[in-house]
PDB file of all heavy atoms in Angstrom:
ATOM      1  N   LEU A   1      53.255 195.622  58.544  1.00  0.00           N
ATOM      2  CA  LEU A   1      53.174 196.274  59.834  1.00  0.00           C
ATOM      3  C   LEU A   1      53.075 197.781  59.682  1.00  0.00           C
ATOM      4  O   LEU A   1      52.226 198.440  60.316  1.00  0.00           O
ATOM      5  CB  LEU A   1      54.381 195.927  60.690  1.00  0.00           C
ATOM      6  CG  LEU A   1      54.512 194.482  61.181  1.00  0.00           C
ATOM      7  CD1 LEU A   1      55.812 194.349  61.970  1.00  0.00           C
ATOM      8  CD2 LEU A   1      53.327 194.100  62.054  1.00  0.00           C
ATOM      9  N   ALA A   2      53.958 198.353  58.853  1.00  0.00           N
ATOM     10  CA  ALA A   2      54.011 199.811  58.724  1.00  0.00           C
ATOM     11  C   ALA A   2      52.698 200.348  58.197  1.00  0.00           C
ATOM     12  O   ALA A   2      52.153 201.356  58.748  1.00  0.00           O
ATOM     13  CB  ALA A   2      55.165 200.181  57.790  1.00  0.00           C
ATOM     14  N   GLU A   3      52.161 199.778  57.157  1.00  0.00           N
ATOM     15  CA  GLU A   3      50.925 200.304  56.578  1.00  0.00           C
ATOM     16  C   GLU A   3      49.733 200.097  57.508  1.00  0.00           C
ATOM     17  O   GLU A   3      48.860 200.978  57.620  1.00  0.00           O
ATOM     18  CB  GLU A   3      50.688 199.654  55.221  1.00  0.00           C
ATOM     19  CG  GLU A   3      51.715 200.063  54.175  1.00  0.00           C
ATOM     20  CD  GLU A   3      51.444 199.483  52.805  1.00  0.00           C
ATOM     21  OE1 GLU A   3      50.431 198.735  52.656  1.00  0.00           O
ATOM     22  OE2 GLU A   3      52.223 199.752  51.871  1.00  0.00           O
ATOM     23  N   ALA A   4      49.665 198.970  58.192  1.00  0.00           N
ATOM     24  CA  ALA A   4      48.550 198.703  59.111  1.00  0.00           C
ATOM     25  C   ALA A   4      48.588 199.663  60.270  1.00  0.00           C
ATOM     26  O   ALA A   4      47.540 200.207  60.682  1.00  0.00           O
ATOM     27  CB  ALA A   4      48.571 197.264  59.578  1.00  0.00           C
ATOM     28  N   HIS A   5      49.748 199.880  60.857  1.00  0.00           N
ATOM     29  CA  HIS A   5      49.841 200.772  62.000  1.00  0.00           C
ATOM     30  C   HIS A   5      49.642 202.236  61.597  1.00  0.00           C
ATOM     31  O   HIS A   5      49.087 203.028  62.345  1.00  0.00           O
ATOM     32  CB  HIS A   5      51.197 200.566  62.703  1.00  0.00           C
ATOM     33  CG  HIS A   5      51.289 199.262  63.411  1.00  0.00           C
ATOM     34  ND1 HIS A   5      52.500 198.571  63.572  1.00  0.00           N
ATOM     35  CD2 HIS A   5      50.342 198.466  63.972  1.00  0.00           C
ATOM     36  CE1 HIS A   5      52.264 197.447  64.215  1.00  0.00           C
ATOM     37  NE2 HIS A   5      50.972 197.359  64.463  1.00  0.00           N
ATOM     38  N   ALA A   6      50.080 202.617  60.375  1.00  0.00           N
ATOM     39  CA  ALA A   6      49.804 203.946  59.893  1.00  0.00           C
ATOM     40  C   ALA A   6      48.311 204.134  59.677  1.00  0.00           C
ATOM     41  O   ALA A   6      47.732 205.209  60.017  1.00  0.00           O
ATOM     42  CB  ALA A   6      50.563 204.207  58.596  1.00  0.00           C
ATOM     43  N   ALA A   7      47.631 203.137  59.133  1.00  0.00           N
ATOM     44  CA  ALA A   7      46.192 203.217  58.917  1.00  0.00           C
ATOM     45  C   ALA A   7      45.432 203.321  60.230  1.00  0.00           C
ATOM     46  O   ALA A   7      44.318 203.890  60.271  1.00  0.00           O
ATOM     47  CB  ALA A   7      45.707 201.995  58.125  1.00  0.00           C
ATOM     48  N   ALA A   8      46.018 202.795  61.301  1.00  0.00           N
ATOM     49  CA  ALA A   8      45.381 202.873  62.617  1.00  0.00           C
ATOM     50  C   ALA A   8      45.634 204.209  63.312  1.00  0.00           C
ATOM     51  O   ALA A   8      45.202 204.412  64.443  1.00  0.00           O
ATOM     52  CB  ALA A   8      45.884 201.733  63.494  1.00  0.00           C
ATOM     53  N   GLY A   9      46.370 205.115  62.649  1.00  0.00           N
ATOM     54  CA  GLY A   9      46.553 206.460  63.188  1.00  0.00           C
ATOM     55  C   GLY A   9      47.917 206.738  63.792  1.00  0.00           C
ATOM     56  O   GLY A   9      48.135 207.828  64.329  1.00  0.00           O
ATOM     57  N   HIS A  10      48.832 205.784  63.738  1.00  0.00           N
ATOM     58  CA  HIS A  10      50.151 205.990  64.291  1.00  0.00           C
ATOM     59  C   HIS A  10      51.056 206.627  63.247  1.00  0.00           C
ATOM     60  O   HIS A  10      50.854 206.485  62.031  1.00  0.00           O
ATOM     61  CB  HIS A  10      50.743 204.659  64.756  1.00  0.00           C
ATOM     62  CG  HIS A  10      49.954 204.005  65.828  1.00  0.00           C
ATOM     63  ND1 HIS A  10      49.999 204.399  67.144  1.00  0.00           N
ATOM     64  CD2 HIS A  10      49.029 202.985  65.779  1.00  0.00           C
ATOM     65  CE1 HIS A  10      49.190 203.659  67.889  1.00  0.00           C
ATOM     66  NE2 HIS A  10      48.582 202.796  67.079  1.00  0.00           N
ATOM     67  N   ARG A  11      52.056 207.326  63.714  1.00  0.00           N
ATOM     68  CA  ARG A  11      53.077 207.876  62.825  1.00  0.00           C
ATOM     69  C   ARG A  11      54.140 206.807  62.626  1.00  0.00           C
ATOM     70  O   ARG A  11      54.714 206.305  63.587  1.00  0.00           O
ATOM     71  CB  ARG A  11      53.689 209.120  63.447  1.00  0.00           C
ATOM     72  CG  ARG A  11      54.780 209.777  62.609  1.00  0.00           C
ATOM     73  CD  ARG A  11      55.403 210.928  63.350  1.00  0.00           C
ATOM     74  NE  ARG A  11      56.599 211.433  62.678  1.00  0.00           N
ATOM     75  CZ  ARG A  11      57.503 212.233  63.256  1.00  0.00           C
ATOM     76  NH1 ARG A  11      57.318 212.637  64.512  1.00  0.00           N
ATOM     77  NH2 ARG A  11      58.542 212.625  62.569  1.00  0.00           N
ATOM     78  N   VAL A  12      54.393 206.449  61.375  1.00  0.00           N
ATOM     79  CA  VAL A  12      55.295 205.332  61.081  1.00  0.00           C
ATOM     80  C   VAL A  12      56.371 205.804  60.099  1.00  0.00           C
ATOM     81  O   VAL A  12      56.056 206.353  59.025  1.00  0.00           O
ATOM     82  CB  VAL A  12      54.558 204.126  60.483  1.00  0.00           C
ATOM     83  CG1 VAL A  12      55.536 202.974  60.208  1.00  0.00           C
ATOM     84  CG2 VAL A  12      53.436 203.669  61.414  1.00  0.00           C
ATOM     85  N   THR A  13      57.619 205.561  60.449  1.00  0.00           N
ATOM     86  CA  THR A  13      58.756 205.867  59.598  1.00  0.00           C
ATOM     87  C   THR A  13      59.521 204.574  59.332  1.00  0.00           C
ATOM     88  O   THR A  13      59.710 203.767  60.246  1.00  0.00           O
ATOM     89  CB  THR A  13      59.701 206.887  60.241  1.00  0.00           C
ATOM     90  OG1 THR A  13      58.962 208.076  60.538  1.00  0.00           O
ATOM     91  CG2 THR A  13      60.857 207.245  59.325  1.00  0.00           C
ATOM     92  N   VAL A  14      59.969 204.393  58.109  1.00  0.00           N
ATOM     93  CA  VAL A  14      60.798 203.250  57.743  1.00  0.00           C
ATOM     94  C   VAL A  14      62.119 203.814  57.222  1.00  0.00           C
ATOM     95  O   VAL A  14      62.143 204.591  56.278  1.00  0.00           O
ATOM     96  CB  VAL A  14      60.135 202.379  56.665  1.00  0.00           C
ATOM     97  CG1 VAL A  14      61.086 201.268  56.212  1.00  0.00           C
ATOM     98  CG2 VAL A  14      58.820 201.774  57.179  1.00  0.00           C
ATOM     99  N   LEU A  15      63.217 203.454  57.863  1.00  0.00           N
ATOM    100  CA  LEU A  15      64.541 203.909  57.483  1.00  0.00           C
ATOM    101  C   LEU A  15      65.339 202.727  56.936  1.00  0.00           C
ATOM    102  O   LEU A  15      65.662 201.794  57.682  1.00  0.00           O
ATOM    103  CB  LEU A  15      65.254 204.530  58.685  1.00  0.00           C
ATOM    104  CG  LEU A  15      66.716 204.988  58.475  1.00  0.00           C
ATOM    105  CD1 LEU A  15      66.815 206.029  57.353  1.00  0.00           C
ATOM    106  CD2 LEU A  15      67.273 205.558  59.780  1.00  0.00           C
ATOM    107  N   VAL A  16      65.628 202.772  55.637  1.00  0.00           N
ATOM    108  CA  VAL A  16      66.357 201.690  54.991  1.00  0.00           C
ATOM    109  C   VAL A  16      67.465 202.295  54.139  1.00  0.00           C
ATOM    110  O   VAL A  16      67.745 203.500  54.226  1.00  0.00           O
ATOM    111  CB  VAL A  16      65.411 200.831  54.117  1.00  0.00           C
ATOM    112  CG1 VAL A  16      64.396 200.088  54.976  1.00  0.00           C
ATOM    113  CG2 VAL A  16      64.702 201.666  53.049  1.00  0.00           C
ATOM    114  N   CYS A  17      68.101 201.501  53.311  1.00  0.00           N
ATOM    115  CA  CYS A  17      69.170 201.976  52.430  1.00  0.00           C
ATOM    116  C   CYS A  17      68.668 202.035  50.992  1.00  0.00           C
ATOM    117  O   CYS A  17      67.945 201.153  50.524  1.00  0.00           O
ATOM    118  CB  CYS A  17      70.391 201.080  52.529  1.00  0.00           C
ATOM    119  SG  CYS A  17      71.247 201.210  54.106  1.00  0.00           S
ATOM    120  N   HIS A  18      69.100 203.082  50.314  1.00  0.00           N
ATOM    121  CA  HIS A  18      68.797 203.244  48.882  1.00  0.00           C
ATOM    122  C   HIS A  18      69.639 202.263  48.074  1.00  0.00           C
ATOM    123  O   HIS A  18      70.779 201.973  48.455  1.00  0.00           O
ATOM    124  CB  HIS A  18      69.087 204.684  48.454  1.00  0.00           C
ATOM    125  CG  HIS A  18      68.481 205.057  47.146  1.00  0.00           C
ATOM    126  ND1 HIS A  18      69.036 204.687  45.943  1.00  0.00           N
ATOM    127  CD2 HIS A  18      67.368 205.801  46.846  1.00  0.00           C
ATOM    128  CE1 HIS A  18      68.290 205.166  44.976  1.00  0.00           C
ATOM    129  NE2 HIS A  18      67.280 205.830  45.475  1.00  0.00           N
ATOM    130  N   PRO A  19      69.114 201.734  46.951  1.00  0.00           N
ATOM    131  CA  PRO A  19      69.956 200.886  46.111  1.00  0.00           C
ATOM    132  C   PRO A  19      71.181 201.598  45.580  1.00  0.00           C
ATOM    133  O   PRO A  19      72.223 200.961  45.303  1.00  0.00           O
ATOM    134  CB  PRO A  19      69.025 200.493  44.965  1.00  0.00           C
ATOM    135  CG  PRO A  19      67.656 200.665  45.507  1.00  0.00           C
ATOM    136  CD  PRO A  19      67.725 201.801  46.480  1.00  0.00           C
ATOM    137  N   GLY A  20      71.097 202.941  45.448  1.00  0.00           N
ATOM    138  CA  GLY A  20      72.239 203.725  44.962  1.00  0.00           C
ATOM    139  C   GLY A  20      72.803 204.618  46.036  1.00  0.00           C
ATOM    140  O   GLY A  20      72.571 204.433  47.226  1.00  0.00           O
ATOM    141  N   SER A  21      73.529 205.625  45.590  1.00  0.00           N
ATOM    142  CA  SER A  21      74.270 206.482  46.534  1.00  0.00           C
ATOM    143  C   SER A  21      73.469 207.661  47.060  1.00  0.00           C
ATOM    144  O   SER A  21      73.907 208.311  48.018  1.00  0.00           O
ATOM    145  CB  SER A  21      75.544 206.993  45.872  1.00  0.00           C
ATOM    146  OG  SER A  21      75.217 207.738  44.712  1.00  0.00           O
ATOM    147  N   ARG A  22      72.331 207.932  46.458  1.00  0.00           N
ATOM    148  CA  ARG A  22      71.578 209.112  46.887  1.00  0.00           C
ATOM    149  C   ARG A  22      70.655 208.770  48.082  1.00  0.00           C
ATOM    150  O   ARG A  22      70.373 207.614  48.330  1.00  0.00           O
ATOM    151  CB  ARG A  22      70.757 209.679  45.742  1.00  0.00           C
ATOM    152  CG  ARG A  22      69.549 208.876  45.340  1.00  0.00           C
ATOM    153  CD  ARG A  22      68.777 209.557  44.195  1.00  0.00           C
ATOM    154  NE  ARG A  22      67.534 208.915  43.892  1.00  0.00           N
ATOM    155  CZ  ARG A  22      67.361 207.914  43.062  1.00  0.00           C
ATOM    156  NH1 ARG A  22      68.418 207.378  42.464  1.00  0.00           N
ATOM    157  NH2 ARG A  22      66.156 207.404  42.838  1.00  0.00           N
ATOM    158  N   THR A  23      70.206 209.808  48.761  1.00  0.00           N
ATOM    159  CA  THR A  23      69.231 209.668  49.856  1.00  0.00           C
ATOM    160  C   THR A  23      67.933 210.338  49.427  1.00  0.00           C
ATOM    161  O   THR A  23      67.938 211.431  48.875  1.00  0.00           O
ATOM    162  CB  THR A  23      69.764 210.335  51.137  1.00  0.00           C
ATOM    163  OG1 THR A  23      70.931 209.642  51.574  1.00  0.00           O
ATOM    164  CG2 THR A  23      68.711 210.305  52.242  1.00  0.00           C
ATOM    165  N   ASP A  24      66.813 209.649  49.658  1.00  0.00           N
ATOM    166  CA  ASP A  24      65.526 210.267  49.327  1.00  0.00           C
ATOM    167  C   ASP A  24      64.496 209.980  50.406  1.00  0.00           C
ATOM    168  O   ASP A  24      64.691 209.119  51.281  1.00  0.00           O
ATOM    169  CB  ASP A  24      65.026 209.853  47.943  1.00  0.00           C
ATOM    170  CG  ASP A  24      64.732 208.373  47.823  1.00  0.00           C
ATOM    171  OD1 ASP A  24      64.497 207.704  48.840  1.00  0.00           O
ATOM    172  OD2 ASP A  24      64.748 207.860  46.687  1.00  0.00           O
ATOM    173  N   ARG A  25      63.409 210.705  50.336  1.00  0.00           N
ATOM    174  CA  ARG A  25      62.325 210.607  51.317  1.00  0.00           C
ATOM    175  C   ARG A  25      61.010 210.722  50.571  1.00  0.00           C
ATOM    176  O   ARG A  25      60.851 211.591  49.713  1.00  0.00           O
ATOM    177  CB  ARG A  25      62.461 211.731  52.358  1.00  0.00           C
ATOM    178  CG  ARG A  25      61.377 211.758  53.426  1.00  0.00           C
ATOM    179  CD  ARG A  25      61.556 213.003  54.284  1.00  0.00           C
ATOM    180  NE  ARG A  25      60.558 213.089  55.340  1.00  0.00           N
ATOM    181  CZ  ARG A  25      60.833 213.071  56.626  1.00  0.00           C
ATOM    182  NH1 ARG A  25      62.093 213.007  57.031  1.00  0.00           N
ATOM    183  NH2 ARG A  25      59.879 213.159  57.530  1.00  0.00           N
ATOM    184  N   GLN A  26      60.045 209.858  50.884  1.00  0.00           N
ATOM    185  CA  GLN A  26      58.740 209.910  50.244  1.00  0.00           C
ATOM    186  C   GLN A  26      57.682 209.358  51.194  1.00  0.00           C
ATOM    187  O   GLN A  26      57.979 208.676  52.183  1.00  0.00           O
ATOM    188  CB  GLN A  26      58.766 209.103  48.953  1.00  0.00           C
ATOM    189  CG  GLN A  26      59.229 207.657  49.101  1.00  0.00           C
ATOM    190  CD  GLN A  26      59.409 206.955  47.776  1.00  0.00           C
ATOM    191  OE1 GLN A  26      58.460 206.799  47.015  1.00  0.00           O
ATOM    192  NE2 GLN A  26      60.628 206.542  47.491  1.00  0.00           N
ATOM    193  N   GLU A  27      56.427 209.691  50.867  1.00  0.00           N
ATOM    194  CA  GLU A  27      55.298 209.164  51.619  1.00  0.00           C
ATOM    195  C   GLU A  27      54.661 208.068  50.797  1.00  0.00           C
ATOM    196  O   GLU A  27      54.294 208.287  49.635  1.00  0.00           O
ATOM    197  CB  GLU A  27      54.274 210.279  51.906  1.00  0.00           C
ATOM    198  CG  GLU A  27      54.819 211.420  52.743  1.00  0.00           C
ATOM    199  CD  GLU A  27      55.171 210.996  54.151  1.00  0.00           C
ATOM    200  OE1 GLU A  27      54.401 210.209  54.758  1.00  0.00           O
ATOM    201  OE2 GLU A  27      56.221 211.439  54.646  1.00  0.00           O
ATOM    202  N   VAL A  28      54.504 206.883  51.369  1.00  0.00           N
ATOM    203  CA  VAL A  28      53.950 205.734  50.684  1.00  0.00           C
ATOM    204  C   VAL A  28      52.893 205.090  51.557  1.00  0.00           C
ATOM    205  O   VAL A  28      53.223 204.554  52.619  1.00  0.00           O
ATOM    206  CB  VAL A  28      55.051 204.694  50.313  1.00  0.00           C
ATOM    207  CG1 VAL A  28      54.449 203.537  49.522  1.00  0.00           C
ATOM    208  CG2 VAL A  28      56.185 205.354  49.547  1.00  0.00           C
ATOM    209  N   GLU A  29      51.644 205.166  51.140  1.00  0.00           N
ATOM    210  CA  GLU A  29      50.548 204.534  51.867  1.00  0.00           C
ATOM    211  C   GLU A  29      50.514 204.977  53.327  1.00  0.00           C
ATOM    212  O   GLU A  29      50.312 204.160  54.237  1.00  0.00           O
ATOM    213  CB  GLU A  29      50.621 203.010  51.785  1.00  0.00           C
ATOM    214  CG  GLU A  29      50.539 202.456  50.376  1.00  0.00           C
ATOM    215  CD  GLU A  29      49.156 202.656  49.737  1.00  0.00           C
ATOM    216  OE1 GLU A  29      48.182 202.790  50.496  1.00  0.00           O
ATOM    217  OE2 GLU A  29      49.112 202.700  48.495  1.00  0.00           O
ATOM    218  N   GLY A  30      50.770 206.257  53.563  1.00  0.00           N
ATOM    219  CA  GLY A  30      50.743 206.783  54.924  1.00  0.00           C
ATOM    220  C   GLY A  30      52.013 206.575  55.724  1.00  0.00           C
ATOM    221  O   GLY A  30      52.080 206.990  56.878  1.00  0.00           O
ATOM    222  N   VAL A  31      53.011 205.968  55.102  1.00  0.00           N
ATOM    223  CA  VAL A  31      54.281 205.659  55.761  1.00  0.00           C
ATOM    224  C   VAL A  31      55.351 206.585  55.226  1.00  0.00           C
ATOM    225  O   VAL A  31      55.465 206.796  54.011  1.00  0.00           O
ATOM    226  CB  VAL A  31      54.684 204.204  55.509  1.00  0.00           C
ATOM    227  CG1 VAL A  31      56.064 203.905  56.107  1.00  0.00           C
ATOM    228  CG2 VAL A  31      53.623 203.251  56.082  1.00  0.00           C
ATOM    229  N   THR A  32      56.162 207.170  56.126  1.00  0.00           N
ATOM    230  CA  THR A  32      57.309 207.978  55.708  1.00  0.00           C
ATOM    231  C   THR A  32      58.468 207.034  55.433  1.00  0.00           C
ATOM    232  O   THR A  32      58.980 206.358  56.353  1.00  0.00           O
ATOM    233  CB  THR A  32      57.705 208.988  56.780  1.00  0.00           C
ATOM    234  OG1 THR A  32      56.596 209.876  57.023  1.00  0.00           O
ATOM    235  CG2 THR A  32      58.916 209.815  56.329  1.00  0.00           C
ATOM    236  N   LEU A  33      58.883 206.953  54.173  1.00  0.00           N
ATOM    237  CA  LEU A  33      59.960 206.066  53.771  1.00  0.00           C
ATOM    238  C   LEU A  33      61.202 206.905  53.482  1.00  0.00           C
ATOM    239  O   LEU A  33      61.221 207.757  52.615  1.00  0.00           O
ATOM    240  CB  LEU A  33      59.560 205.285  52.501  1.00  0.00           C
ATOM    241  CG  LEU A  33      60.668 204.422  51.866  1.00  0.00           C
ATOM    242  CD1 LEU A  33      61.164 203.348  52.833  1.00  0.00           C
ATOM    243  CD2 LEU A  33      60.142 203.787  50.571  1.00  0.00           C
ATOM    244  N   ILE A  34      62.267 206.640  54.261  1.00  0.00           N
ATOM    245  CA  ILE A  34      63.553 207.305  54.079  1.00  0.00           C
ATOM    246  C   ILE A  34      64.568 206.259  53.642  1.00  0.00           C
ATOM    247  O   ILE A  34      64.777 205.262  54.327  1.00  0.00           O
ATOM    248  CB  ILE A  34      64.029 207.981  55.371  1.00  0.00           C
ATOM    249  CG1 ILE A  34      62.970 208.956  55.908  1.00  0.00           C
ATOM    250  CG2 ILE A  34      65.354 208.717  55.137  1.00  0.00           C
ATOM    251  CD1 ILE A  34      63.290 209.527  57.268  1.00  0.00           C
ATOM    252  N   ARG A  35      65.178 206.508  52.481  1.00  0.00           N
ATOM    253  CA  ARG A  35      66.187 205.573  51.968  1.00  0.00           C
ATOM    254  C   ARG A  35      67.542 206.274  51.937  1.00  0.00           C
ATOM    255  O   ARG A  35      67.754 207.218  51.180  1.00  0.00           O
ATOM    256  CB  ARG A  35      65.801 205.094  50.572  1.00  0.00           C
ATOM    257  CG  ARG A  35      64.468 204.345  50.541  1.00  0.00           C
ATOM    258  CD  ARG A  35      64.202 203.693  49.200  1.00  0.00           C
ATOM    259  NE  ARG A  35      64.195 204.688  48.106  1.00  0.00           N
ATOM    260  CZ  ARG A  35      64.172 204.369  46.828  1.00  0.00           C
ATOM    261  NH1 ARG A  35      64.191 203.095  46.458  1.00  0.00           N
ATOM    262  NH2 ARG A  35      64.139 205.322  45.897  1.00  0.00           N
ATOM    263  N   ALA A  36      68.419 205.810  52.804  1.00  0.00           N
ATOM    264  CA  ALA A  36      69.750 206.428  52.921  1.00  0.00           C
ATOM    265  C   ALA A  36      70.690 205.899  51.861  1.00  0.00           C
ATOM    266  O   ALA A  36      70.686 204.705  51.557  1.00  0.00           O
ATOM    267  CB  ALA A  36      70.330 206.136  54.319  1.00  0.00           C
ATOM    268  N   GLY A  37      71.501 206.784  51.311  1.00  0.00           N
ATOM    269  CA  GLY A  37      72.455 206.366  50.294  1.00  0.00           C
ATOM    270  C   GLY A  37      73.447 205.342  50.821  1.00  0.00           C
ATOM    271  O   GLY A  37      73.874 205.423  51.984  1.00  0.00           O
ATOM    272  N   ARG A  38      73.778 204.377  49.982  1.00  0.00           N
ATOM    273  CA  ARG A  38      74.737 203.347  50.383  1.00  0.00           C
ATOM    274  C   ARG A  38      76.038 203.511  49.612  1.00  0.00           C
ATOM    275  O   ARG A  38      76.037 203.929  48.438  1.00  0.00           O
ATOM    276  CB  ARG A  38      74.146 201.952  50.245  1.00  0.00           C
ATOM    277  CG  ARG A  38      74.086 201.377  48.851  1.00  0.00           C
ATOM    278  CD  ARG A  38      73.624 199.909  48.879  1.00  0.00           C
ATOM    279  NE  ARG A  38      72.200 199.767  49.147  1.00  0.00           N
ATOM    280  CZ  ARG A  38      71.624 198.597  49.398  1.00  0.00           C
ATOM    281  NH1 ARG A  38      72.351 197.482  49.432  1.00  0.00           N
ATOM    282  NH2 ARG A  38      70.321 198.518  49.646  1.00  0.00           N
ATOM    283  N   LEU A  39      77.111 203.124  50.265  1.00  0.00           N
ATOM    284  CA  LEU A  39      78.425 203.176  49.638  1.00  0.00           C
ATOM    285  C   LEU A  39      78.712 201.914  48.844  1.00  0.00           C
ATOM    286  O   LEU A  39      79.304 201.965  47.754  1.00  0.00           O
ATOM    287  CB  LEU A  39      79.518 203.356  50.708  1.00  0.00           C
ATOM    288  CG  LEU A  39      79.399 204.615  51.582  1.00  0.00           C
ATOM    289  CD1 LEU A  39      80.447 204.552  52.690  1.00  0.00           C
ATOM    290  CD2 LEU A  39      79.571 205.861  50.742  1.00  0.00           C
ATOM    291  N   ALA A  40      78.290 200.775  49.386  1.00  0.00           N
ATOM    292  CA  ALA A  40      78.573 199.499  48.747  1.00  0.00           C
ATOM    293  C   ALA A  40      77.712 198.441  49.457  1.00  0.00           C
ATOM    294  O   ALA A  40      77.012 198.738  50.439  1.00  0.00           O
ATOM    295  CB  ALA A  40      80.044 199.143  48.855  1.00  0.00           C
ATOM    296  N   THR A  41      77.772 197.226  48.955  1.00  0.00           N
ATOM    297  CA  THR A  41      77.107 196.090  49.584  1.00  0.00           C
ATOM    298  C   THR A  41      78.127 194.966  49.759  1.00  0.00           C
ATOM    299  O   THR A  41      78.767 194.573  48.784  1.00  0.00           O
ATOM    300  CB  THR A  41      75.918 195.594  48.746  1.00  0.00           C
ATOM    301  OG1 THR A  41      74.984 196.658  48.561  1.00  0.00           O
ATOM    302  CG2 THR A  41      75.210 194.436  49.439  1.00  0.00           C
ATOM    303  N   VAL A  42      78.300 194.490  50.988  1.00  0.00           N
ATOM    304  CA  VAL A  42      79.279 193.458  51.286  1.00  0.00           C
ATOM    305  C   VAL A  42      78.592 192.336  52.045  1.00  0.00           C
ATOM    306  O   VAL A  42      77.932 192.577  53.069  1.00  0.00           O
ATOM    307  CB  VAL A  42      80.450 194.029  52.141  1.00  0.00           C
ATOM    308  CG1 VAL A  42      81.427 192.905  52.487  1.00  0.00           C
ATOM    309  CG2 VAL A  42      81.148 195.144  51.404  1.00  0.00           C
ATOM    310  N   ALA A  43      78.698 191.109  51.523  1.00  0.00           N
ATOM    311  CA  ALA A  43      78.061 189.937  52.156  1.00  0.00           C
ATOM    312  C   ALA A  43      76.576 190.176  52.417  1.00  0.00           C
ATOM    313  O   ALA A  43      76.068 189.893  53.505  1.00  0.00           O
ATOM    314  CB  ALA A  43      78.781 189.578  53.464  1.00  0.00           C
ATOM    315  N   SER A  44      75.915 190.734  51.403  1.00  0.00           N
ATOM    316  CA  SER A  44      74.461 191.018  51.417  1.00  0.00           C
ATOM    317  C   SER A  44      74.075 192.175  52.353  1.00  0.00           C
ATOM    318  O   SER A  44      72.900 192.440  52.514  1.00  0.00           O
ATOM    319  CB  SER A  44      73.663 189.760  51.834  1.00  0.00           C
ATOM    320  OG  SER A  44      73.897 188.716  50.928  1.00  0.00           O
ATOM    321  N   MET A  45      75.062 192.849  52.955  1.00  0.00           N
ATOM    322  CA  MET A  45      74.734 193.942  53.860  1.00  0.00           C
ATOM    323  C   MET A  45      75.152 195.279  53.244  1.00  0.00           C
ATOM    324  O   MET A  45      76.290 195.428  52.796  1.00  0.00           O
ATOM    325  CB  MET A  45      75.427 193.783  55.214  1.00  0.00           C
ATOM    326  CG  MET A  45      74.960 194.845  56.202  1.00  0.00           C
ATOM    327  SD  MET A  45      75.820 194.763  57.796  1.00  0.00           S
ATOM    328  CE  MET A  45      77.399 195.521  57.372  1.00  0.00           C
TER     329      MET A  45
END
């Protein structure tokens, strides 16, 4: 969805959690990907 809608000219951001504790931001295939640092994972969350 993100890549298709970005290719169609929309601004698309994906906000998820980083596997580690740091936070980073990058552009991937026209999509702004922000990965927020996580403290831990409990019950798959």
Side-chain angles (χ1 to χ4, degrees):
L1 291 178
E3 292 183 1
H5 290 149
H10 298 282
R11 180 184 170 196
V12 181
T13 303
V14 175
L15 177 58
V16 295
C17 290
H18 195 281
S21 60
R22 73 179 188 272
T23 295
D24 63 23
R25 179 187 181 117
Q26 55 187 298
E27 299 294 319
V28 183
E29 300 293 335
V31 176
T32 300
L33 173 61
I34 304 172
R35 299 188 302 170
R38 77 173 74 189
L39 301 173
T41 302
V42 178
S44 300
M45 187 184 76

